[in-house]
Amino acid sequence: MIWKAINAVVKTISGSPFHKIISNNILVLNILGTKTGKTYAIPVSYLETEPGMLFCITDRSNVWWRNIGHNQIIKMRYKGNLVDARIDVNSKDLVVAIDHLSQLCNHSRVDGFFAGVGYVEGKPIKLDIERVAPNMIPISIQI
């Protein structure tokens, strides 16, 4: 229940003039439900690896990622703007999951906390990343 309230606040901020508070770390994906036809706004933490190339990662137990088709075009709220993006899920490649999770955890300790990755001397624990990565779904985004 608390996540529903937090997500509602994040979604509101992402489309407001105050988006700069969260825009460097959070974007909102608009995913169309394959069964319901309903659009779901999903806030995710992201990392931009090069201009226009981003990725995020989500826990495998979250079901929303299953609605993403291969190289699907979606709308997303990015840095305050509603933009088109090409999105792709890689649910089978553990190497990619480890790489994306490592980069996200190096970028933000908040991502490490939510993934269950600990830190030693400010660096994510590699064994923790390798332990949790099989439960993660890497998602690539191109704008």
Side-chain angles (χ1 to χ4, degrees):
M1 184 66 163
I2 187 139
W3 286 113
K4 206 173 209 180
I6 291 170
N7 285 346
V9 170
V10 168
K11 289 184 272 190
T12 300
I13 291 172
S14 74
S16 80
F18 302 106
H19 71 87
K20 291 181 182 181
I21 297 168
I22 62 170
S23 285
N24 286 331
N25 294 310
I26 298 173
L27 57 82
V28 179
L29 302 171
N30 293 312
I31 305 296
L32 185 66
T34 53
K35 291 182 183 176
T36 64
K38 180 179 172 184
T39 299
Y40 297 93
I42 312 292
V44 295
S45 177
Y46 76 94
L47 181 63
E48 187 165 12
T49 55
E50 58 186 75
M53 298 301 295
L54 306 96
F55 68 79
C56 62
I57 200 160
T58 191
D59 195 285
R60 189 174 291 275
S61 65
N62 295 331
V63 296
W64 64 265
W65 63 269
R66 294 180 186 141
N67 291 303
I68 300 171
H70 178 64
N71 282 323
Q72 180 178 351
I73 303 293
I74 64 161
K75 296 279 188 196
M76 72 176 190
R77 182 70 62 182
Y78 175 67
K79 296 191 176 184
N81 299 306
L82 192 61
V83 299
D84 289 327
R86 182 173 301 280
I87 188 167
D88 197 24
V89 171
N90 188 337
S91 63
K92 295 182 169 84
D93 193 335
L94 182 58
V95 173
V96 172
I98 289 170
D99 178 61
H100 285 194
L101 184 58
S102 294
Q103 288 187 59
L104 278 168
C105 290
N106 274 309
H107 174 71
S108 168
R109 287 184 77 129
V110 173
D111 291 314
F113 172 79
F114 284 112
V117 174
Y119 288 76
V120 173
E121 297 179 3
K123 300 288 184 194
I125 299 170
K126 186 177 180 181
L127 289 174
D128 283 356
I129 289 172
E130 291 170 351
R131 175 182 49 81
V132 300
N135 300 322
M136 298 294 172
I137 301 296
I139 300 168
S140 300
I141 305 164
Q142 180 181 3
I143 55 173

